[in-house]
Amino acid sequence: DDILSASYSRVDDTSSAGNTPPPELLTNCRNKGNTFNAAQEVVLQANTSNNEDNTVSATSASIQCDSETLCIVPPGITLLMESDLNVGALIVRGSLRWGDTQNNPSQYLCAGYIVMEDSGSFRMDLNDGD
């Protein structure tokens, strides 16, 4: 409970300059870790409509998984965070990459928990090169 409270303390404090979280973030994500119970487990399938057979966009992931789903990124697959993603929980055995290609400046990832397993990796680089 203390960890969850600390996680939200900064987001809840909108008095700080520039700290205006997207309204959907608080509505969709608050206390998710307290109540998550997987109704379904889904292993993400890679995009087949492009040349990068080993990638899944967040948009595609949100079609495959929903807020009640334990969503799994398998080994060899990269989840590209280019839009909001709201899943019940996320297990990354491949990789999750969050770069400056996101479509929304207030983009978020919401999950009851996020775990990197085995050789899973999380890479965030929001530098736009300027």
Side-chain angles (χ1 to χ4, degrees):
D1 290 338
D2 290 342
I3 292 173
L4 284 174
S5 295
S7 298
Y8 285 103
S9 64
R10 176 72 172 118
V11 173
D12 288 340
D13 179 13
T14 57
S15 65
S16 301
N19 188 33
T20 53
E24 312 85 42
L25 174 68
L26 297 179
T27 303
N28 294 331
C29 299
R30 184 181 307 266
N31 297 321
K32 183 175 257 193
N34 288 336
T35 60
F36 178 69
N37 188 6
Q40 183 179 4
E41 195 173 289
V42 172
V43 176
L44 289 177
Q45 300 297 310
N47 298 335
T48 56
S49 61
N50 61 32
N51 294 330
E52 299 180 47
D53 294 338
N54 62 340
T55 64
V56 178
S57 67
T59 301
S60 176
S62 68
I63 294 167
Q64 297 179 54
C65 300
D66 62 26
S67 63
E68 302 297 319
T69 305
L70 171 58
C71 200
I72 300 170
V73 181
I77 299 295
T78 299
L79 173 59
L80 300 174
M81 289 298 301
E82 90 324 336
S83 68
D84 296 338
L85 183 58
N86 182 2
V87 296
L90 183 64
I91 296 176
V92 180
R93 296 178 180 140
S95 64
L96 187 152
R97 194 167 77 216
W98 196 324
D100 59 5
T101 58
Q102 66 188 50
N103 297 323
N104 182 344
S106 298
Q107 182 175 300
Y108 65 87
L109 169 59
C110 178
Y113 60 86
I114 301 170
V115 177
M116 304 301 133
E117 285 187 347
D118 303 324
S119 59
S121 65
F122 183 114
R123 179 179 172 147
M124 178 177 272
D125 182 3
L126 300 179
N127 293 322
D128 62 4
D130 293 337

